[in-house]
Amino acid sequence: GLSTLDALLRKLSTFRIRAKCSGDVWIDEHHSTEDVMITVGQALHVALGSKAGCCRMAWAEAQEGAAKVLCVMDLSNRPGFCCDLRWHGQQEEMAEDVSVEMLHHCFESFVIN
């Protein structure tokens, strides 16, 4: 597995998410990370169903080390992902075992599915 993706899924919610993926991580993490986040996004979409009784808008904050994130969600069926994080602020190419550019794509894959 990818430890960064595993940690992200653990921190993503207060409910349990279990995903298994066997991909071509010996080449890179792109397809495995993308496929898992697409699947998690689709599972959330199915779980919410018609969204009847759900609060349409909500927000949450999280902090991990020096990173602090504010997430605002709108369950309006008009997916969009905006991010102003400076992924290359420290000139790092990798965040553990996932490339920093893949982190943006990871969240985007979750949101649009």
Side-chain angles (χ1 to χ4, degrees):
L2 297 164
S3 62
T4 303
L5 183 58
D6 292 343
L8 177 64
L9 290 174
R10 277 193 302 276
K11 296 237 180 209
L12 198 60
S13 70
T14 57
F15 53 90
R16 185 175 171 183
I17 297 175
R18 196 162 91 191
K20 183 176 180 180
C21 176
S22 57
D24 55 357
V25 291
W26 60 90
I27 297 172
D28 67 22
E29 78 289 357
H30 182 98
H31 292 113
S32 295
T33 303
E34 178 181 51
D35 291 349
V36 167
M37 294 308 284
I38 287 171
T39 302
V40 171
Q42 290 172 343
L44 180 61
H45 178 76
V46 169
L48 291 174
S50 70
K51 301 178 189 135
C54 290
C55 179
R56 182 181 155 211
M57 295 190 74
W59 65 274
E61 289 181 293
Q63 186 165 349
E64 181 70 29
K68 186 174 183 178
V69 176
L70 168 67
C71 175
V72 178
M73 288 187 71
D74 179 354
L75 302 177
S76 64
N77 292 327
R78 293 182 303 271
F81 176 68
C82 299
C83 176
D84 67 354
L85 293 175
R86 288 157 193 88
W87 300 107
H88 295 285
Q90 302 293 320
Q91 300 301 320
E92 298 289 333
E93 290 185 24
M94 300 293 287
E96 303 277 333
D97 53 0
V98 175
S99 66
V100 293
E101 66 186 20
M102 193 61 216
L103 292 173
H104 184 275
H105 187 60
C106 174
F107 286 110
E108 188 174 51
S109 297
F110 171 73
V111 167
I112 64 172
N113 287 284

